[in-house]
Amino acid sequence: MKTANCNIMFLALSVAGLLFGGYFASMEWFVGPSYVANDGLFWTLPLVAYIFLALTSTGISILMTAGELLDNKAVKAHKLSLLTAALSLLIGAFAALATEMGSPFHVIWLLFSPNLSSPIWWMGTLYAVELLLLGFKYYLLLRGRPSNSEQWLTSAALCVAVAAALVLGSVFGTAVGRTGYQGADASVLTLLCALASGLSLAPLLFKEQAREVLLLPGRRLLAGLAVFLLTLYLYSARSTVLADIAWVQLWMPLLLLASMLVYKAKPAVSALIALPTLLLVELFFVIQGQLQVLGPKQTWLGAVQSYLPNTAEIAILIFGCSVAYLCFFLFNQLQVRLGGSSD
Amino acid sequence: MRYGMVIDQQKCVGCAGCVFACKAENHTPPEINWCDKLIVSSGQFPDVRFEYLSTMCNHCEDAPCVKGCPTQAMHKSEGGLTLHEQEKCIGCKACMENCPYGVISFNWQRPHQEWQENKGLAAGTFTPSAMLAEAGGEGSPLSNPERGSSYPIQRQRGVVEKCNFCDHRLKVGLNPVCVDACPSNARVVGDLDDPNSEVSKLIRKYDGKPLKPELGTGSKVFYIRRYTPENR
């Protein structure tokens, strides 16, 4: 009864979020710009919403495919839930990205005019391939058709997920490295963020008695990311380059450590701490490098800018999350109708 | 053939004639300047320096914007020019992120949308849209039809734009408009591959340097006789 009420509440919130975010998305597509973006600071919260949702989806995909390939019984038992979540989050990510790029068709056009030297092309293509692979895997699973190619499909989905998370770092590493010319660690950061967010969300998709299997990787990943961020923080604190203001803040690793401590006893609380922290880590990571305005735009925008997301940008984050939750809900309904289990 | 430009800092008077000429020639919206300025003040009182640097796309040899563009909208063209194809642009802004010189602009709004307004300053006066209908022109009455030979006169919302060295003028043997508009002849354009061209001679004579040479982008806009202590 409690779960049913909770589901209805989440569903109602998602529908409200879809309408609220959808209004701002359509404003952005058809009316005019509503974000706090300018020629100096052009990648803002809507793009970070894409990064966050895509990385969370990647983390879940990696967990699911790696568990499957390693023949882990607990992961295999929750395959459908994990697959549904990964697919829904990726759809939510693309919904947020479509608002950022001005038109949903731009996302599709990107795939058909390749520039192999562009990290953004690789990012778009890898995530599109990941979406297709997950979609195909879901179709096979839903139809209950065991396929000879399943092993191949799982391996391919794992490789693509890892590559996509790494490439995402190389795209946004240019943002953080804009002023200080450093950012080689960006790909490691995005991969760790993907794994940490995936493993933070995973316990909520698992039955209570099966969560044991997530404890070791989940805690290690959260601790690993906290150590990584702490190292970056200490490195930045010792930096002698004044212009290169550090994007890492001390509260980031501390919150991740707090989330790690309650990972076993209170997985929902752990996720509630870890996921917003990871979103903020990704936001700071993308924004900081852009705060320093380059070239002649300094004359018009000032040498340094500050950033606080506005209502429209927050609405797009809500829009992406709502699309993801509604897809998750609809996929689960589909599974129930087709007689499958929704785990 | 590689087009390059030399800007003589001791001839440049900072009049912004190049900025306005560019605006008129290329029909850029009010908030976008292909040719712009960078005001640099440095040092500590009393030893302070103020410099007015005219900037534009540097048409880099190894252009980071071209490398970063996922759809090849930003591409290298004849004469080493870095050009932009609006139809291929998806508005991802990767070129803006990659450009270390900050000279690529984004059309956040529909360019020249102020000319679509239907409200005059006072009753009985021309409205912008009526003025446009009367005077003609694409997007605004200030549009230049010659620009349309190689690039859309009226750009779309959601795409980037930047200086293309007035490629439409170069094609017919004319200089970029900023060069011709400069009242003190501070700008010279020419072939960097020809050792006898004026640009090559000026670069050699004054040890011309591009902006941020340490990045190795192969920028083709060179500055000579800057107001650095060694040039005083």
Side-chain angles (χ1 to χ4, degrees):
Chain A
M1 186 64 192
K2 249 185 173 177
T3 318
N5 284 343
C6 207
N7 280 343
I8 289 170
M9 190 188 76
F10 269 116
L11 192 62
L13 281 175
S14 299
V15 172
L18 188 75
L19 293 173
F20 176 61
Y23 167 75
F24 285 100
S26 45
M27 287 291 283
E28 189 66 26
W29 283 326
F30 306 115
V31 182
S34 46
Y35 302 159
V36 213
N38 56 45
D39 274 357
L41 179 62
F42 35 82
W43 285 343
T44 54
L45 187 60
L47 193 69
V48 176
Y50 159 75
I51 297 171
F52 173 68
L53 292 168
L55 285 179
T56 311
S57 161
T58 309
I60 292 177
S61 294
I62 294 173
L63 171 69
M64 177 193 69
T65 48
E68 219 180 319
L69 291 172
L70 295 170
D71 203 23
N72 185 299
K73 287 191 176 61
V75 172
K76 281 174 107 176
H78 295 86
K79 195 162 84 172
L80 194 56
S81 268
L82 291 169
L83 186 54
T84 312
L87 196 56
S88 309
L89 284 162
L90 202 50
I91 294 171
F94 273 112
L97 181 66
T99 68
E100 162 67 29
M101 289 182 33
S103 160
F105 301 109
H106 282 169
V107 183
I108 301 161
W109 171 241
L110 181 142
L111 305 176
F112 298 107
S113 54
N115 176 9
L116 301 185
S117 70
S118 165
I120 283 205
W121 183 80
W122 283 104
M123 180 186 79
T125 305
L126 285 169
Y127 272 113
V129 170
E130 179 74 357
L131 189 69
L132 288 177
L133 289 175
L134 293 178
F136 189 52
K137 212 168 153 51
Y138 183 74
Y139 171 77
L140 290 178
L141 212 62
L142 212 60
R143 288 278 165 193
R145 285 182 194 165
S147 163
N148 295 335
S149 57
E150 182 129 17
Q151 183 85 356
W152 176 88
L153 204 60
T154 309
S155 311
L158 175 64
C159 293
V160 172
V162 172
L166 291 169
V167 164
L168 213 140
S170 72
V171 171
F172 297 101
T174 54
V176 83
R178 249 181 142 205
T179 46
Y181 307 133
Q182 50 163 305
D185 50 288
S187 289
V188 182
L189 175 82
T190 46
L191 182 62
L192 286 177
C193 279
L195 292 168
S197 45
L199 279 158
S200 296
L201 194 62
L204 309 181
L205 302 166
F206 273 53
K207 289 190 179 108
E208 206 172 333
Q209 56 272 30
R211 285 178 188 158
E212 194 68 28
V213 71
L214 299 171
L215 279 183
L216 192 66
R219 282 173 165 173
R220 278 191 182 171
L221 247 306
L222 286 168
L225 182 56
V227 170
F228 184 77
L229 290 173
L230 200 62
T231 312
L232 282 181
Y233 175 77
L234 292 174
Y235 177 77
S236 319
R238 289 170 58 85
S239 169
T240 49
V241 186
L242 276 177
D244 192 19
I245 305 160
W247 66 268
V248 193
Q249 311 281 317
L250 193 55
W251 52 263
M252 295 172 178
L254 294 180
L255 281 175
L256 289 175
L257 288 175
S259 142
M260 184 200 77
L261 291 176
V262 291
Y263 191 72
K264 185 183 178 184
K266 301 271 179 202
V269 176
S270 171
L272 270 176
I273 301 171
L275 293 174
T277 306
L278 288 163
L279 172 72
L280 289 173
V281 165
E282 288 150 20
L283 179 71
F284 278 60
F285 167 66
V286 172
I287 296 294
Q288 188 63 51
Q290 298 178 72
L291 296 180
Q292 311 270 329
V293 182
L294 298 182
K297 285 171 187 137
Q298 284 184 0
T299 315
W300 315 109
L301 302 168
V304 182
Q305 297 194 83
S306 61
Y307 175 69
L308 198 64
N310 68 2
T311 314
E313 292 177 323
I314 295 168
I316 298 303
L317 172 66
I318 296 171
F319 178 68
C321 295
S322 302
V323 168
Y325 185 79
L326 286 172
C327 286
F328 185 72
F329 177 81
L330 291 174
F331 284 140
N332 276 331
Q333 292 300 308
L334 189 69
Q335 287 153 31
V336 172
R337 283 210 174 178
L338 290 175
S341 142
S342 60
D343 293 340
Chain B
M1 170 75 176
R2 281 185 314 133
Y3 285 111
M5 191 181 283
V6 167
I7 300 179
D8 188 334
Q9 282 298 93
Q10 296 193 14
K11 281 187 179 174
C12 174
V13 293
C15 68
C18 48
V19 177
F20 288 102
C22 171
K23 215 158 195 35
E25 179 71 24
N26 295 301
H27 195 226
T28 57
E31 61 281 0
I32 291 179
N33 290 339
W34 287 4
C35 178
D36 212 327
K37 63 182 187 292
L38 188 62
I39 294 167
V40 186
S41 28
S42 54
Q44 273 190 325
F45 182 81
D47 189 19
V48 288
R49 268 193 300 138
F50 173 87
E51 201 175 15
Y52 178 103
L53 278 164
S54 188
T55 63
M56 71 202 92
C57 172
N58 291 284
H59 296 273
C60 307
E61 207 78 66
D62 190 13
C65 58
V66 172
K67 276 187 178 170
C69 176
T71 60
Q72 301 182 40
M74 202 66 87
H75 60 278
K76 295 302 288 182
S77 184
E78 264 175 61
L81 298 182
T82 306
L83 301 183
H84 179 247
E85 212 171 316
Q86 184 194 248
E87 291 72 28
K88 284 186 176 176
C89 182
I90 57 167
C92 69
K93 307 169 203 89
C95 52
M96 295 171 77
E97 180 58 47
N98 278 14
C99 175
Y101 306 103
V103 289
I104 305 176
S105 304
F106 189 73
N107 282 298
W108 298 96
Q109 319 244 13
R110 182 182 170 187
H112 305 287
Q113 67 171 7
E114 65 280 8
W115 287 101
Q116 305 301 318
E117 277 174 25
N118 232 341
K119 214 170 132 187
L121 276 177
T125 59
F126 261 116
T127 65
S129 57
M131 175 76 89
L132 179 60
E134 186 83 7
E138 206 178 310
S140 88
L142 313 167
S143 63
N144 171 17
E146 285 165 15
R147 174 64 278 181
S149 63
S150 65
Y151 197 64
I153 301 172
Q154 169 73 358
R155 269 76 74 182
Q156 298 164 10
R157 177 182 165 235
V159 297
V160 298
E161 58 178 80
K162 65 159 198 75
C163 156
N164 47 30
F165 250 35
C166 286
D167 61 328
H168 61 296
R169 287 174 62 91
L170 289 174
K171 267 182 200 154
V172 294
L174 296 170
N175 286 329
V177 75
C178 56
V179 174
D180 283 352
C182 181
S184 54
N185 285 328
R187 289 169 177 246
V188 181
V189 73
D191 183 5
L192 293 173
D193 282 341
D194 176 6
N196 296 317
S197 67
E198 200 183 344
V199 279
S200 299
K201 284 181 190 164
L202 286 169
I203 293 167
R204 260 199 318 273
K205 184 175 175 186
Y206 294 109
D207 189 24
K209 292 267 188 316
L211 295 177
K212 300 186 180 177
E214 70 278 9
L215 297 181
T217 54
S219 164
K220 295 208 285 280
V221 175
F222 291 83
Y223 294 81
I224 58 170
R225 302 202 298 158
R226 284 183 71 171
Y227 289 100
T228 49
E230 59 270 27
N231 282 327
R232 271 182 193 164

